[in-house]
Amino acid sequence: MKKVKITAKELRAIGFPESPVIPVAMSVVDKFYKFSKKEDVIELLKNVLAQPADYKNDPMLESIALKLLPKEAAHATGIALRESGVPVSIFGPDYIEAGALHQIHMAAKLPISVKAALMPDAHHGYGLPIGGVLATKNAVIPYGVGVDIGCRMCLSVFDMDPDLLKSRTSFFSREIHEATLFGSGAQFKTAEEHEIMDRDEFHSTPLLRSLHGKAWKQLGSSGSGNHFVEFGVVEISEKDEVLGIEPGKYIGLLSHSGSRGLGANIANHYTKLAIEKRKLPNDAKNLAWLDLNEAEGQEYWLAMNLAGDYASACHHIIHRKIARQLGRTPIKMVENHHNFAWKEMLDGEEVIVHRKGATPAGKNVLGIIPGSMSANGFIVKGRGTADAIHSAAHGAGRKLSRSAAISSITHKAMRDALDKAGVTLLGGGLDEAPFAYKDIHAVMAEQTELVDVVGSFAPKIVKMCGDGPKQLRKRNASDGE
């Protein structure tokens, strides 16, 4: 049976007001009525619209009714943390700073928490630490996802001789330059065409509608911070049936970036709402959550998924442009989010799994774990380890803060490290120097029970923003966690 889908346009056509009730209604239909007859669903929604008070205790329609009823003053009450938290599994504790350990144990004490884990690349963040994984019951924490919603990795593997990266360095460098933009707030003069910008969700709330224009101009851009686009050598030692690539060396195109200003604005807007609704102790306030049964939670879930799809579209545009210039179709594309929340089954119940700077590593799920601008990254296959909540590290993890890196690393030292690795750097500041990161091999050694390595990626031509000192003067949310 074809699933029923109600659009914002159809809801407005039957009289629904231009307000947050629209995404709530869309979510309710998708959750409870997707296999009903569309005409019956429309009639039911008309009834709720006409008499919302009759449905305020309805288990399925309550959230719509409450959005349609006159607002009552909200009185948030203080919420206490549990005295002892839910189980926390820590991988590579010797490599993890105390601040990150404190944050994950704090998250484990939330009344909504079910299970937690910390990856070996973890370091301190906002709310959840970077490298933190948290399963919750029917609730989503905006800062548990992070500011850069849907930040992700994308790798295209081309059946081309890697020696071309040496003999035609200028050509490959130019293709990266022309395919994307770097820099905080960077926008294209001419908007890229992609079906993501036609998504009905962009017209479902005033917030998303206000972000549509800028999101379109940033579509396909890469931002700053630790985001990059790079060419390198993919090496496959033996064929893995899931990856499906024959042994050998190939040219790889690897990108890392997220949802730009779209995700940052969504994250900040809903974090503020969550903090207003859930009065947690001050040192835990960034862990404030939204219940998925309430309107704000449904709005955030819709917006978060849109931002994740937008981030994916940005990568696909970059890879499509470059593939066209290479005159090749990739033989394989591997990609994964690492700042997102998913509905998953855990110990027989549905939970919301937040992975903030963590790679999904369910059984046989492919992913990419990068190193640094000079260190190898790895193509991995998840082992589905329950203690890790089916997750793994998302990179080497920072060893030095940006300010510490800039003050302690010299340009000569960075150049020497890049020369030794045979890397051409097109842009990237001292804040992203190889020495600012943990040893990726040590991190990988701490998660052999989480993933199997099925290939490697050695960076050779690296493009980053390189505006580190400016970032330190004013933190740019769109390039945050």
Short mmCIF file of all heavy atoms in Angstrom, two decimals, residues 20 67 71 76 142 207 266-279 288-290 294-297 299-300:
data_model
loop_
_atom_site.label_atom_id
_atom_site.label_comp_id
_atom_site.label_asym_id
_atom_site.label_seq_id
_atom_site.Cartn_x
_atom_site.Cartn_y
_atom_site.Cartn_z
N PRO A 20 3.92 26.69 13.68
CA PRO A 20 4.60 25.40 13.92
C PRO A 20 3.67 24.20 13.98
O PRO A 20 4.17 23.06 14.07
CB PRO A 20 5.29 25.63 15.27
CG PRO A 20 5.52 27.10 15.33
CD PRO A 20 4.32 27.71 14.66
N LYS A 67 -1.19 22.49 19.87
CA LYS A 67 -0.63 23.59 19.08
C LYS A 67 -1.73 24.52 18.56
O LYS A 67 -1.48 25.70 18.31
CB LYS A 67 0.17 23.03 17.89
CG LYS A 67 1.63 22.80 18.17
CD LYS A 67 2.33 24.11 18.47
CE LYS A 67 3.80 23.92 18.75
NZ LYS A 67 4.48 25.18 19.08
N LYS A 71 -2.41 29.57 23.63
CA LYS A 71 -1.25 29.29 24.46
C LYS A 71 -1.53 29.60 25.92
O LYS A 71 -2.14 30.60 26.25
CB LYS A 71 -0.04 30.12 24.00
CG LYS A 71 0.68 29.54 22.81
CD LYS A 71 1.98 30.28 22.59
CE LYS A 71 2.78 29.63 21.45
NZ LYS A 71 4.06 30.32 21.25
N ALA A 76 8.19 26.22 33.65
CA ALA A 76 9.18 25.15 33.70
C ALA A 76 9.59 24.90 35.15
O ALA A 76 9.81 25.84 35.91
CB ALA A 76 10.40 25.52 32.86
N PRO A 142 19.32 18.77 21.43
CA PRO A 142 19.95 19.48 20.31
C PRO A 142 21.47 19.58 20.42
O PRO A 142 22.19 19.39 19.43
CB PRO A 142 19.28 20.86 20.37
CG PRO A 142 17.92 20.58 20.93
CD PRO A 142 18.16 19.51 21.96
N LEU A 207 11.05 29.47 10.92
CA LEU A 207 12.51 29.40 11.00
C LEU A 207 13.10 28.82 9.72
O LEU A 207 14.00 29.42 9.11
CB LEU A 207 12.93 28.53 12.19
CG LEU A 207 14.44 28.25 12.29
CD1 LEU A 207 15.21 29.53 12.57
CD2 LEU A 207 14.73 27.19 13.34
N ILE A 266 19.36 26.07 13.25
CA ILE A 266 18.41 25.11 13.82
C ILE A 266 18.87 24.70 15.21
O ILE A 266 18.09 24.69 16.17
CB ILE A 266 18.29 23.87 12.91
CG1 ILE A 266 17.60 24.23 11.59
CG2 ILE A 266 17.53 22.74 13.61
CD1 ILE A 266 17.71 23.15 10.52
N ALA A 267 20.14 24.36 15.35
CA ALA A 267 20.68 23.90 16.63
C ALA A 267 20.53 24.97 17.71
O ALA A 267 20.07 24.68 18.82
CB ALA A 267 22.16 23.53 16.47
N ASN A 268 20.89 26.19 17.40
CA ASN A 268 20.84 27.25 18.40
C ASN A 268 19.40 27.60 18.79
O ASN A 268 19.10 27.85 19.95
CB ASN A 268 21.59 28.48 17.89
CG ASN A 268 23.08 28.23 17.79
OD1 ASN A 268 23.64 27.47 18.58
ND2 ASN A 268 23.74 28.86 16.83
N HIS A 269 18.50 27.60 17.81
CA HIS A 269 17.10 27.93 18.08
C HIS A 269 16.47 26.91 19.02
O HIS A 269 15.84 27.27 20.03
CB HIS A 269 16.32 27.98 16.76
CG HIS A 269 14.85 28.20 16.92
ND1 HIS A 269 14.30 29.44 17.16
CD2 HIS A 269 13.80 27.33 16.89
CE1 HIS A 269 12.99 29.33 17.27
NE2 HIS A 269 12.66 28.06 17.11
N TYR A 270 16.67 25.63 18.72
CA TYR A 270 16.00 24.59 19.51
C TYR A 270 16.73 24.30 20.82
O TYR A 270 16.10 23.84 21.78
CB TYR A 270 15.79 23.33 18.67
CG TYR A 270 14.69 23.54 17.66
CD1 TYR A 270 14.98 23.85 16.33
CD2 TYR A 270 13.36 23.50 18.04
CE1 TYR A 270 13.98 24.07 15.41
CE2 TYR A 270 12.34 23.72 17.13
CZ TYR A 270 12.65 24.02 15.82
OH TYR A 270 11.64 24.26 14.90
N THR A 271 18.02 24.59 20.87
CA THR A 271 18.71 24.47 22.16
C THR A 271 18.15 25.51 23.13
O THR A 271 17.92 25.21 24.31
CB THR A 271 20.22 24.68 21.99
OG1 THR A 271 20.76 23.58 21.24
CG2 THR A 271 20.93 24.76 23.33
N LYS A 272 17.93 26.71 22.66
CA LYS A 272 17.36 27.76 23.50
C LYS A 272 15.97 27.34 24.01
O LYS A 272 15.66 27.51 25.20
CB LYS A 272 17.24 29.06 22.71
CG LYS A 272 16.71 30.24 23.52
CD LYS A 272 16.66 31.50 22.68
CE LYS A 272 16.08 32.67 23.49
NZ LYS A 272 16.00 33.90 22.67
N LEU A 273 15.14 26.79 23.13
CA LEU A 273 13.82 26.32 23.56
C LEU A 273 13.94 25.21 24.59
O LEU A 273 13.19 25.17 25.58
CB LEU A 273 13.03 25.82 22.34
CG LEU A 273 12.52 26.85 21.35
CD1 LEU A 273 11.77 26.15 20.22
CD2 LEU A 273 11.63 27.88 22.02
N ALA A 274 14.87 24.29 24.35
CA ALA A 274 15.04 23.17 25.28
C ALA A 274 15.47 23.65 26.66
O ALA A 274 14.97 23.18 27.69
CB ALA A 274 16.07 22.18 24.72
N ILE A 275 16.38 24.60 26.69
CA ILE A 275 16.86 25.13 27.97
C ILE A 275 15.73 25.85 28.71
O ILE A 275 15.62 25.77 29.94
CB ILE A 275 18.06 26.07 27.73
CG1 ILE A 275 19.28 25.24 27.31
CG2 ILE A 275 18.39 26.88 28.99
CD1 ILE A 275 20.48 26.06 26.88
N GLU A 276 14.87 26.53 27.96
CA GLU A 276 13.73 27.21 28.59
C GLU A 276 12.73 26.22 29.17
O GLU A 276 12.12 26.46 30.22
CB GLU A 276 13.03 28.11 27.56
CG GLU A 276 13.84 29.34 27.16
CD GLU A 276 13.20 30.11 26.02
OE1 GLU A 276 12.19 29.61 25.46
OE2 GLU A 276 13.69 31.20 25.68
N LYS A 277 12.55 25.09 28.48
CA LYS A 277 11.55 24.12 28.91
C LYS A 277 12.05 23.20 30.03
O LYS A 277 11.26 22.74 30.84
CB LYS A 277 11.10 23.26 27.71
CG LYS A 277 10.28 23.99 26.68
CD LYS A 277 9.89 23.08 25.52
CE LYS A 277 8.84 22.07 25.92
NZ LYS A 277 7.52 22.64 26.17
N ARG A 278 13.34 22.91 30.04
CA ARG A 278 13.90 21.96 31.00
C ARG A 278 14.94 22.65 31.86
O ARG A 278 16.06 22.91 31.40
CB ARG A 278 14.52 20.77 30.27
CG ARG A 278 13.57 20.15 29.23
CD ARG A 278 12.89 18.92 29.73
NE ARG A 278 11.49 18.80 29.39
CZ ARG A 278 10.95 18.74 28.18
NH1 ARG A 278 11.67 18.85 27.11
NH2 ARG A 278 9.64 18.59 28.05
N LYS A 279 14.58 22.98 33.08
CA LYS A 279 15.48 23.70 33.98
C LYS A 279 16.40 22.71 34.69
O LYS A 279 16.11 22.22 35.78
CB LYS A 279 14.67 24.52 34.99
CG LYS A 279 13.78 25.57 34.35
CD LYS A 279 14.59 26.58 33.52
CE LYS A 279 13.69 27.66 32.93
NZ LYS A 279 14.44 28.60 32.08
N ALA A 288 19.87 19.98 27.88
CA ALA A 288 18.40 20.10 27.87
C ALA A 288 17.84 19.43 26.63
O ALA A 288 18.41 19.52 25.54
CB ALA A 288 18.01 21.57 27.91
N TRP A 289 16.70 18.77 26.80
CA TRP A 289 16.13 17.97 25.72
C TRP A 289 14.73 18.42 25.34
O TRP A 289 14.07 19.18 26.05
CB TRP A 289 16.10 16.50 26.13
CG TRP A 289 15.15 16.20 27.26
CD1 TRP A 289 13.81 15.91 27.18
CD2 TRP A 289 15.46 16.18 28.67
NE1 TRP A 289 13.28 15.71 28.43
CE2 TRP A 289 14.27 15.87 29.36
CE3 TRP A 289 16.63 16.41 29.39
CZ2 TRP A 289 14.23 15.78 30.75
CZ3 TRP A 289 16.59 16.31 30.77
CH2 TRP A 289 15.39 15.99 31.44
N LEU A 290 14.29 17.91 24.21
CA LEU A 290 12.92 18.08 23.74
C LEU A 290 12.29 16.71 23.62
O LEU A 290 12.89 15.78 23.05
CB LEU A 290 12.90 18.78 22.38
CG LEU A 290 13.47 20.21 22.35
CD1 LEU A 290 13.63 20.68 20.92
CD2 LEU A 290 12.58 21.16 23.13
N GLU A 294 6.18 16.19 22.06
CA GLU A 294 5.77 17.60 22.11
C GLU A 294 6.11 18.28 20.78
O GLU A 294 6.96 17.82 20.01
CB GLU A 294 6.43 18.32 23.28
CG GLU A 294 7.93 18.39 23.22
CD GLU A 294 8.53 18.90 24.54
OE1 GLU A 294 7.75 19.20 25.46
OE2 GLU A 294 9.76 18.99 24.64
N ALA A 295 5.41 19.37 20.53
CA ALA A 295 5.52 20.03 19.23
C ALA A 295 6.95 20.44 18.91
O ALA A 295 7.44 20.24 17.79
CB ALA A 295 4.60 21.26 19.20
N GLU A 296 7.65 21.02 19.90
CA GLU A 296 9.01 21.49 19.64
C GLU A 296 9.94 20.34 19.29
O GLU A 296 10.83 20.48 18.45
CB GLU A 296 9.54 22.25 20.86
CG GLU A 296 8.82 23.55 21.17
CD GLU A 296 7.58 23.35 22.02
OE1 GLU A 296 7.18 22.18 22.26
OE2 GLU A 296 7.01 24.36 22.46
N GLY A 297 9.72 19.19 19.95
CA GLY A 297 10.53 18.02 19.63
C GLY A 297 10.29 17.52 18.22
O GLY A 297 11.22 17.15 17.50
N GLU A 299 9.19 19.36 15.73
CA GLU A 299 9.76 20.38 14.83
C GLU A 299 11.26 20.17 14.66
O GLU A 299 11.80 20.20 13.55
CB GLU A 299 9.52 21.78 15.38
CG GLU A 299 8.11 22.30 15.26
CD GLU A 299 8.01 23.69 15.88
OE1 GLU A 299 8.99 24.46 15.82
OE2 GLU A 299 6.95 24.02 16.45
N TYR A 300 11.94 19.99 15.81
CA TYR A 300 13.40 19.82 15.74
C TYR A 300 13.75 18.56 14.95
O TYR A 300 14.67 18.58 14.12
CB TYR A 300 14.01 19.72 17.14
CG TYR A 300 15.49 19.39 17.06
CD1 TYR A 300 16.43 20.38 16.76
CD2 TYR A 300 15.95 18.08 17.22
CE1 TYR A 300 17.78 20.08 16.64
CE2 TYR A 300 17.30 17.77 17.09
CZ TYR A 300 18.20 18.77 16.80
OH TYR A 300 19.54 18.46 16.66
#
